Amino acid sequence: MKKFLSFFLITAFFALQAQETSNRFFYELNFKPKKGAETTDKVMTILDITKDKSIYRDFTVVAQDSIMKIQVEAMQKSGTFKDISKTMTMPKFSEKIYKFYPEMKVQYVDRVSSGFTPVNIGYSEDLKFNWKIDNEKMKIGSYNTQKATTEFGGRKWTAWFAADLPFQDGPYKFHGLPGLIVKIEDDAKDYSWELKGNKQVPNFNEITYLESVMPGGSGGKVQELSREKFTKTFSDYKKDPFASMRPMMSPQMMSTKMPGTETTIGDFIKEQEKTTKEFYEANNNPIEGEVAVPKKKK
């Protein structure tokens, strides 16, 4: 019995050690969705820092994940379909950005559809910022920060970093300063991130519940593409999000009603297509200039 108890305690100890904890930093992003816009939009984003990587993303879906879990499980139990997209707040941005330590290799990931299955596509880059550190210092919230500037994506950026926060990381792709970036904005003030708080997330799982139950169960698997191929693929997807699904939809399937509702699959698809297009059309002011896609030779 004692041997069994000892074995159990050892197993439990290593299980606890294996559970990952994230340092989650909350960045409020103020941005101009449209080029030349006078008004700005606002969204909370997060940077989860673990022992071997960081993940940056829109916090909107993550914040609603437990509520979505309850609604999905209720649908599964009742066998009745409910369009939960009507009850959830849609994110402003769909991408995830990974930085892998210690090399700080950056991976940009977004999701497209391949038939009925969502697929994560992404590209990687060894991104080095040419930071110029200034002696100027400023108090931002409770953080003592120092100024640094760089150029990236066709924009000039001013950052304020805190050496007291020993992470050479920051929001979006930004990294490489001797302390966590507390605030960063471009000279046109189209994009401005500011750190608003942080907390530890025990038992951290980067995959949300909705991602785990989506058809295909792609979770965190990423189809790696070149930057140019990614840009072309994602640009085509934004123009026609359901292009790969449409040939698979027979008239009989389109007229079939969703379980427990009067809504047909065809009507549901049309509504989802409209919502998806509106999502991508809402922001035509990218953080980085678009990568040119090689033209086909005639």
Side-chain angles (χ1 to χ4, degrees):
M1 183 66 183
K2 286 183 178 180
K3 288 183 179 180
F4 175 79
L5 182 59
S6 297
F7 176 76
F8 173 79
L9 291 172
I10 292 171
T11 303
F13 172 78
F14 282 109
L16 287 170
Q17 293 300 304
Q19 291 175 349
E20 193 165 30
T21 296
S22 157
N23 286 297
R24 175 168 290 174
F25 294 90
F26 294 85
Y27 287 91
E28 184 178 85
L29 169 60
N30 286 275
F31 67 101
K32 295 177 182 178
K34 299 287 185 180
K35 293 178 181 178
E38 295 183 2
T39 58
T40 60
D41 205 342
K42 182 167 60 176
V43 64
M44 187 63 71
T45 65
I46 52 174
L47 179 71
D48 283 307
I49 296 180
T50 67
K51 63 180 180 180
D52 58 358
K53 65 184 174 184
S54 68
I55 307 105
Y56 167 83
R57 54 188 157 169
D58 190 322
F59 184 53
T60 308
V61 173
V62 179
Q64 301 172 90
D65 203 44
S66 59
I67 298 173
M68 293 299 105
K69 182 176 186 292
I70 292 171
Q71 293 195 27
V72 170
E73 289 178 344
M75 278 194 291
Q76 292 171 337
K77 187 175 181 180
S78 66
T80 302
F81 174 79
K82 180 182 179 182
D83 185 2
I84 60 175
S85 65
K86 296 184 181 299
T87 62
M88 69 182 293
T89 302
M90 297 302 292
K92 304 289 186 182
F93 300 93
S94 56
E95 73 269 13
K96 289 183 183 179
I97 295 166
Y98 296 83
K99 302 187 196 86
F100 296 95
Y101 303 153
E103 296 85 0
M104 297 303 283
K105 182 179 180 181
V106 175
Q107 185 185 48
Y108 185 105
V109 177
D110 217 318
R111 180 166 288 202
V112 298
S113 293
S114 177
F116 293 107
T117 306
V119 176
N120 292 320
I121 61 171
Y123 64 86
S124 296
E125 54 186 336
D126 293 316
L127 186 58
K128 306 296 181 185
F129 289 91
N130 182 24
W131 292 107
K132 294 180 181 178
I133 298 178
D134 194 285
N135 290 327
E136 186 177 349
K137 297 182 179 180
M138 182 169 63
K139 187 95 168 182
I140 300 177
S142 61
Y143 306 104
N144 295 310
T145 70
Q146 188 170 347
K147 183 180 179 181
T149 57
T150 192
E151 293 187 15
F152 169 68
R155 300 175 186 270
K156 295 180 179 179
W157 299 88
T158 298
W160 298 87
F161 67 93
D164 292 339
L165 296 173
F167 304 101
Q168 295 186 18
D169 214 325
Y172 193 62
K173 296 179 179 179
F174 298 106
H175 67 276
L177 285 167
L180 187 71
I181 294 172
V182 171
K183 183 175 182 177
I184 183 166
E185 64 183 9
D186 69 297
D187 57 349
K189 291 183 168 44
D190 280 356
Y191 285 87
S192 178
W193 288 267
E194 185 172 334
L195 183 62
K196 293 298 183 180
N198 68 285
K199 71 173 186 178
Q200 284 204 331
V201 181
N203 304 323
F204 172 70
N205 187 349
E206 68 182 77
I207 307 301
T208 64
Y209 174 77
L210 280 182
E211 288 173 318
S212 69
V213 299
M214 276 184 175
S218 57
K221 295 179 182 178
V222 178
Q223 181 183 341
E224 188 80 15
L225 305 174
S226 68
R227 177 78 180 264
E228 292 74 19
K229 179 66 173 176
F230 174 93
T231 301
K232 176 67 167 60
T233 302
F234 201 67
S235 178
D236 290 344
Y237 172 71
K238 288 190 290 185
K239 291 175 184 175
D240 191 355
F242 290 84
S244 62
M245 183 187 296
R246 203 170 289 114
M248 306 167 68
M249 304 293 290
S250 66
Q252 181 181 359
M253 185 183 296
M254 294 288 278
S255 62
T256 302
K257 292 181 179 179
M258 306 291 283
T261 74
E262 292 301 312
T263 304
T264 65
I265 291 177
D267 289 339
F268 177 71
I269 293 294
K270 287 178 183 177
E271 181 63 27
Q272 291 302 304
E273 185 173 24
K274 178 176 178 290
T275 302
T276 304
K277 283 185 176 180
E278 288 175 349
F279 173 79
Y280 290 116
E281 290 170 358
N283 188 347
N284 70 349
N285 185 22
I287 298 171
E288 302 175 61
E290 296 289 342
V291 174
V293 178
K295 295 182 178 179
K296 293 181 179 180
K297 294 181 180 180
K298 294 182 179 179

